[in-house]
Structures are given as C-alpha cells and as structure tokens.
Amino acid sequence: KLSVEYYITPSVGYRQLYKNNDFEPAGGLLQRTAENNNYLSQQAALNFEAGVAMLFKLNKKINVSAGLQLNYTNYITYAHHLQHPTQTTVLMNDPHNGNLMPMPYNSIYGNVLGSNTSRLNNNTYQISMPIGLQYKLAGNDKVKWQMAASVQPSYIMSGNTYLISANNKNFVIDQSMLRNWNVSTSIESFVSFKTPGDLLLNVGPQFRYQILSTYSNQYSYTEKLYNVGLKLGITKKL
C-alpha cells in the first residue's frame, strides 16, 4: 500500500498585496503593472519547487500523502538605484494600540516613474512538509486522472524583502520583516501513465497559495504569495 513520489514543479509566481489600513488590493499576474495610481511597478517571475512524498493507499480511489519539499518563490520589483542613500520612513503597526507609526530607514532604491530600471527579486527559500490527499477521478490500471490537495507548513530559511515607504517614493531592505513560519495550500489535477517498468509518470497543473502574510504582523502591508505551475512526477511502489 506504500508508494514514493519524486517531483519538480516549475511555475510562475506573484502576490496579492493589501494595505492594512484600508485593504485596497494591488494585484495582477503575468504582466508588468503600475498599480494604485502608478506608485508601484512589479511583475511575476519564475518559481520552482522539488520534493519527495510518501503515499499510503486507503482504498482504490484515495491516497494519503506526506513529504518534504523545497520551494523557491520570487516576483520582481522595478526601482531606481539612487546615487546616494536617502532617509525615508516605513509605516509599521503599533503593537500596543494597533495604530500606524512611521519608522525611519535608509534607502538606496527610489520609485521614480520612468526611471525604474533596476530589477529587485523579492524571493524566499522555503522548506515545507506537505500533507494531503489524492483522489482518482477516472481511468484504469494504465492511465488515471487524479486530483490532489495539500496543506504545507513551511519554514522560510532566507529571502529578500523590499518594503514600500510611507510616501511610496522608496523601497527599503529589511530582512527581519520576513515571517519565519508560514502555511500554504495547493491543489492540482494530473494524469498518471503507467510504464512497462511499473512506474507512474504524473503530469498536470498546480496552484499554490500562501495563507499567512510574507511579512510579520509589524509591517503595515499584507502579502500573499501564489504561483501556477506544471508538476512533473514519478511514483514507484515500495
């Protein structure tokens, strides 16, 4: 009843971004966008994941899965590299009363319309433990169509964060704003082909969505990462 699956998933990733004070969404995928009155220019980028999962067969249609997975997430911010550092402020949430408070920072990246030629990678390196279910929708012993969903507790090992200044004129580097622990979910649909060597070749689309903000609760923006990719895997019975 046990099987092991090895897989990789190249994908395109972006984010949903919200101001915590008014929750105006800033979104879009697969194209460069200038959002909220042209104050922010960002773009989707290549993401990647690879992992291994153990599958336990409950019955003819359902498998339970658990495994280990490495994730690389990324999207691009366009900025203007300044000749000299400048002082700016970033809005933070006051933990005592919930009000917004400006915090001073130095910045080497400006947000100058028409001059944002520097590409800044907003990336994270994560290790996840997906726990999920696979369900057989149709097929036979040779070809199967399946659906799967998982919950993925994740530890963020490292990454880059470019925070937006209070006046939207600068980007600030502060890695301490990265949340160390997060949770994502995924849903996928794939076709499995059985080979003469009794292996299953799996291929199909996957959508992954981050439940908690990329940033700590201190920062006045909430960011939810997501990506759409093509999962390629090999399953072998043990």
Side-chain angles (χ1 to χ4, degrees):
K1 291 189 174 182
L2 280 177
S3 301
V4 60
E5 181 187 20
Y6 303 94
Y7 59 90
I8 58 173
T9 311
S11 62
V12 174
Y14 202 37
R15 86 293 179 274
Q16 288 182 302
L17 189 65
Y18 302 91
K19 291 181 181 180
N20 288 350
N21 55 337
D22 56 15
F23 289 95
E24 292 181 4
L29 179 64
L30 300 177
Q31 61 181 357
R32 179 171 174 176
T33 56
E35 299 148 348
N36 287 11
N37 297 322
N38 296 321
Y39 83 80
L40 186 61
S41 184
Q42 296 180 321
Q43 186 178 14
L46 180 66
N47 288 222
F48 189 82
E49 70 183 42
V52 58
M54 297 296 297
L55 306 173
F56 179 77
K57 188 175 182 179
L58 290 180
N59 53 49
K60 292 182 178 181
K61 287 186 174 291
I62 299 176
N63 288 326
V64 178
S65 65
L68 198 63
Q69 178 175 291
L70 296 175
N71 287 84
Y72 171 74
T73 72
N74 189 32
Y75 67 89
I76 296 166
T77 293
Y78 290 89
H80 175 74
H81 197 288
L82 303 175
Q83 296 297 321
H84 302 285
T86 185
Q87 193 167 32
T88 187
T89 59
V90 173
L91 291 179
M92 297 293 182
N93 296 311
D94 191 327
H96 302 292
N97 54 30
N99 294 330
L100 294 175
M101 57 181 183
M103 295 290 292
Y105 279 89
N106 286 325
S107 173
I108 60 171
Y109 293 107
N111 185 22
V112 183
L113 215 58
S115 300
N116 289 335
T117 56
S118 296
R119 291 162 57 99
L120 309 180
N121 290 300
N122 298 264
N123 54 34
T124 67
Y125 297 87
Q126 308 177 7
I127 183 167
S128 305
M129 187 168 23
I131 301 169
L133 291 173
Q134 288 185 359
Y135 183 78
K136 177 184 172 183
L137 295 171
N140 51 39
D141 190 49
K142 299 294 183 180
V143 181
K144 301 175 184 178
W145 176 29
Q146 304 189 75
M147 293 283 294
S150 69
V151 176
Q152 304 178 7
S154 304
Y155 175 70
I156 288 75
M157 297 179 288
S158 63
N160 292 325
T161 58
Y162 296 94
L163 310 182
I164 306 165
S165 66
N167 61 2
N168 305 323
K169 299 295 185 182
N170 295 94
F171 297 102
V172 170
I173 303 171
D174 188 352
Q175 317 302 12
S176 69
M177 287 294 106
L178 267 179
R179 189 185 296 269
N180 295 122
W181 292 93
N182 217 306
V183 179
S184 295
T185 60
S186 73
I187 185 169
E188 60 194 73
S189 176
F190 59 96
V191 178
S192 299
F193 304 92
K194 191 173 184 179
T195 70
D198 208 28
L199 297 176
L200 288 178
L201 303 181
N202 310 314
V203 58
Q206 176 188 273
F207 177 75
R208 186 174 189 260
Y209 184 79
Q210 183 176 281
I211 300 299
L212 303 178
S213 176
T214 304
Y215 311 118
S216 73
N217 293 334
Q218 186 180 357
Y219 186 42
S220 61
Y221 278 79
T222 295
E223 177 185 271
K224 305 290 187 71
L225 301 176
Y226 63 92
N227 53 59
V228 180
L230 183 68
K231 186 174 181 178
L232 307 170
I234 299 176
T235 302
K236 179 183 179 181
K237 289 184 179 180
L238 297 179

